[in-house]
Amino acid sequence: MDLQDDDIYNEANAAQVNLEDITFSARNAKILQRLRDGDDKLTYLSLGTAGGWGFIINEGDDLGWLGYLIGKSQYLYSLAIWDMPDGEGGEQQINAFVKGIARNHSIRDISINSLSDDTRAAIVRAVGNYSQLESLTITCHNDFDPNPNSHSAVVGLFESGVCQLRELELSGNGIDDDVVATLANGFKSIAESLEVLVLSHTSIGNDGLLAVLAGLSNSTSLRTLHLASNDFSSAAEGLSLLSALLQSLPKTLEHLNLRRCRINDEGLQAFIQGSAIHCRELDLEGNESITATGLSHLSNSLQSDSCCIERLDLFDIPSAIGDDGMKALARGLAHNTSLKSLHLGCLFNNATIPPAQWVAFSTALCDPSSVNSTFLSNHTVQRIMDEDDTDNVCPEDIDLYLRLSEQHPKYAARCKILMKHRHLNMRPFLQWKWDLKFLPVALSWFEQAKTCTTLNVQLPVEERHILEESDEVFESRVLSAMYEFVRGMP
């Protein structure tokens, strides 16, 4: 019976076929029944030969029927294919399955994992007619080396113009610079709709990075770029182009992942300017070649008024917890107003941070040298260490500043001023020509700052007052400051 005859047979017998006769397990039969009955609660389905939940493919399963019922489903939204049978009769089964799923009009998210070249290409060609397809994931982390030609089906899907992908992941898959050069033209076809691109655990270097970025040159919607576990040790040119691309995007990138890409100081300097002002989350974890010199370039970008990084991951970068590295990062924090989370530490190297190296961070978060210096300190960052790094715990004063910024951001600056300056020197304000007009402003500041005497911060094991100060002590502060102000007037 050829595939066309299968179609006629399935149409004629779908309603009355005994599902237990076309699958090896009762669980599979139940899934087939839900597909046949049009169960609107069955929106996700995973397929594979291994154990777990979902449809487990084994001898006795008719993949032609499975593909037919998936093709008919109006409610299936997401399909994950983990593997397919490769034994006797497997090719015919796969062909029947692929022909069935090609008819589906509801699947928007498909994931293809660790399949042979031919099977993967057949499935990609089948979903090439999915005008509704929004997300495509193709991963391959097994031992065989795929033929680069197997990616031609992916390029064909991009260039067909049928689907406008929003999310694309191509991880592993034997992707190197040559393969990326082939895919780049396809990227141009989907660049305007693409929001998330993941090319991780591949073999992309400088040439591959240049090709990827060229393919994204007309991007208008990109919000996540995930390039982890590639080799950018000699990719300063490509990283420089990345900086330029980020600055050309109409929207700020939400997440840039360059984890474990062997980036060195030269590479960091090449892309950090564009990243700092056009990226909210930057992940540089595990780039061990970055030294204090590179962190100084990072620090300069953090100090920029245009910096918009909110989360920065420097975990497993030894220099970041060295003396010079922490001083460089502290300089960047001192004048930064965007960063909320900074992840430091070296979990795998069991490296610890000596107490003396925390001093620069303490000053960056609360500089006690003057009231103005305290006011201009960092009141934005809320986390510094990684939660999994139990060997490194922030000193008590730094932990308090971080929790204050997280739990009471509106009052962080006022609380720090009251904590570090028992006596507020009012004489500098007497130099202003409008000194009398300043008096109500000063009183208003104290009125708002009084709230600090009632605030608590939640610590890991207890709750504590930020200021251990009674109303009487606070009022004496106010009277002392006002007395000094009035007394100093001409």
Side-chain angles (χ1 to χ4, degrees):
M1 184 183 296
D2 60 26
L3 292 179
Q4 185 174 1
D5 292 337
D6 284 343
D7 291 342
I8 297 173
Y9 177 82
N10 290 342
E11 289 287 350
N13 295 278
Q16 63 265 21
V17 65
N18 186 345
L19 299 177
E20 293 183 355
D21 292 340
I22 59 175
T23 185
F24 90 104
S25 74
R27 180 170 71 171
N28 285 357
K30 185 175 181 180
I31 293 174
L32 292 176
Q33 181 177 348
R34 294 179 68 187
L35 287 169
R36 183 175 66 179
D37 295 347
D39 185 347
D40 60 0
K41 299 295 191 298
L42 183 59
T43 59
Y44 171 80
L45 180 60
S46 67
L47 317 174
T49 59
W53 66 280
F55 193 101
I56 302 175
I57 302 172
N58 210 323
E59 291 184 11
D61 285 308
D62 189 322
L63 297 188
W65 272 114
L66 176 60
Y68 171 81
L69 293 174
I70 289 175
K72 287 291 186 179
S73 174
Q74 299 179 31
Y75 301 104
L76 196 61
Y77 182 94
S78 180
L79 177 64
I81 305 173
W82 291 95
D83 50 21
M84 289 294 234
D86 53 8
E88 184 177 352
E91 182 178 353
Q92 184 177 356
Q93 284 266 59
I94 290 171
N95 289 339
F97 170 79
V98 166
K99 187 170 183 179
I101 67 171
R103 296 188 178 93
N104 184 275
H105 295 289
S106 64
I107 295 175
R108 297 176 181 273
D109 175 10
I110 189 163
S111 177
I112 304 169
N113 305 273
S114 300
L115 303 181
S116 68
D117 293 352
D118 291 340
T119 301
R120 180 172 63 244
I123 293 174
V124 170
R125 283 193 290 268
V127 303
N129 294 321
Y130 284 12
S131 60
Q132 77 278 5
L133 190 65
E134 296 178 353
S135 176
L136 174 64
T137 299
I138 303 177
T139 61
C140 177
H141 298 300
N142 50 18
D143 294 332
F144 68 84
D145 295 322
N147 186 332
N149 293 329
S150 68
H151 297 286
S152 60
V154 178
V155 176
L157 183 147
F158 295 161
E159 295 180 343
S160 69
V162 174
C163 61
Q164 296 297 310
L165 288 177
R166 295 173 57 190
E167 300 183 9
L168 173 64
E169 177 177 352
L170 302 173
S171 296
N173 296 303
I175 295 177
D176 56 18
D177 288 353
D178 293 335
V179 173
V180 168
T182 302
L183 294 173
N185 288 331
F187 290 159
K188 292 180 181 179
S189 302
I190 60 172
E192 291 187 7
S193 64
L194 196 63
E195 298 178 11
V196 177
L197 176 60
V198 179
L199 291 168
S200 63
H201 297 88
T202 64
S203 302
I204 298 174
N206 184 65
D207 291 344
L209 181 57
L210 289 170
V212 171
L213 298 175
L216 297 175
S217 59
N218 61 332
S219 175
T220 58
S221 305
L222 192 66
R223 54 184 175 83
T224 296
L225 183 58
H226 195 316
L227 300 172
S229 298
N230 286 291
D231 186 355
F232 295 156
S233 57
S234 301
E237 181 185 4
L239 292 170
S240 179
L241 183 59
L242 172 60
S243 177
L245 173 69
L246 293 176
Q247 295 179 69
S248 70
L249 293 176
K251 298 180 181 179
T252 298
L253 199 69
E254 293 295 327
H255 185 70
L256 175 60
N257 190 324
L258 295 171
R259 176 180 294 195
R260 304 191 184 282
C261 286
R262 301 183 182 180
I263 295 172
N264 53 30
D265 293 341
E266 182 184 10
L268 180 58
Q269 183 181 12
F271 79 89
I272 191 57
Q273 182 177 358
S275 300
I277 61 178
H278 288 281
C279 181
R280 298 194 189 282
E281 296 185 2
L282 176 60
D283 190 342
L284 296 174
E285 177 182 321
N287 287 287
E288 299 180 358
S289 298
I290 295 175
T291 71
T293 300
L295 294 177
S296 293
H297 298 309
L298 173 59
S299 174
N300 293 336
S301 295
L302 290 176
Q303 295 179 58
S304 169
D305 293 337
S306 302
C307 179
C308 65
I309 296 178
E310 296 179 7
R311 185 184 187 279
L312 176 61
D313 195 333
L314 300 176
F315 197 72
D316 268 347
I317 299 181
S319 65
I321 59 172
D323 187 40
D324 292 339
M326 290 194 73
K327 287 180 180 178
L329 291 173
R331 286 195 301 272
L333 282 182
H335 302 290
N336 179 276
T337 58
S338 65
L339 192 65
K340 295 181 180 179
S341 179
L342 172 62
H343 288 241
L344 299 176
C346 284
L347 184 63
F348 301 111
N349 297 331
N350 295 318
T352 57
I353 303 175
Q357 291 179 199
W358 284 107
V359 173
F361 271 78
S362 180
T363 302
L365 298 176
C366 184
D367 185 347
S369 60
S370 69
V371 172
N372 196 47
S373 296
T374 304
F375 176 75
L376 294 175
S377 300
N378 185 297
H379 312 300
T380 308
V381 66
Q382 302 171 3
R383 183 181 299 278
I384 289 181
M385 298 309 302
D386 192 283
E387 293 179 344
D388 295 329
D389 188 2
T390 55
D391 293 326
N392 289 300
V393 179
C394 292
E396 185 176 339
D397 63 331
I398 293 179
D399 185 58
L400 176 60
Y401 301 148
L402 297 175
R403 294 179 186 277
L404 181 57
S405 295
E406 179 182 17
Q407 299 172 28
H408 305 289
K410 182 179 177 180
Y411 295 98
R414 292 186 178 92
C415 288
K416 290 177 185 178
I417 289 173
L418 293 177
M419 290 163 60
K420 294 299 180 181
H421 304 278
R422 287 296 173 183
H423 175 71
L424 299 184
N425 183 9
M426 306 297 287
R427 292 188 178 277
F429 300 110
L430 296 174
Q431 302 173 9
W432 297 4
K433 296 180 179 179
W434 50 290
D435 43 29
L436 281 175
K437 294 181 181 179
F438 175 76
L439 188 57
V441 176
L443 288 171
S444 176
W445 187 92
F446 277 109
E447 288 176 2
Q448 296 179 57
K450 187 174 182 180
T451 304
C452 295
T453 64
T454 65
L455 297 178
N456 296 330
V457 288
Q458 185 64 53
L459 302 175
V461 294
E462 64 177 347
E463 187 176 70
R464 58 160 286 188
H465 290 300
I466 295 173
L467 287 171
E468 298 291 346
E469 186 168 296
S470 66
D471 290 345
E472 291 77 11
V473 172
F474 181 80
E475 291 301 328
S476 70
R477 282 203 202 210
V478 180
L479 291 174
S480 175
M482 294 303 101
Y483 173 76
E484 179 182 309
F485 181 84
V486 173
R487 183 183 178 189
M489 291 178 58

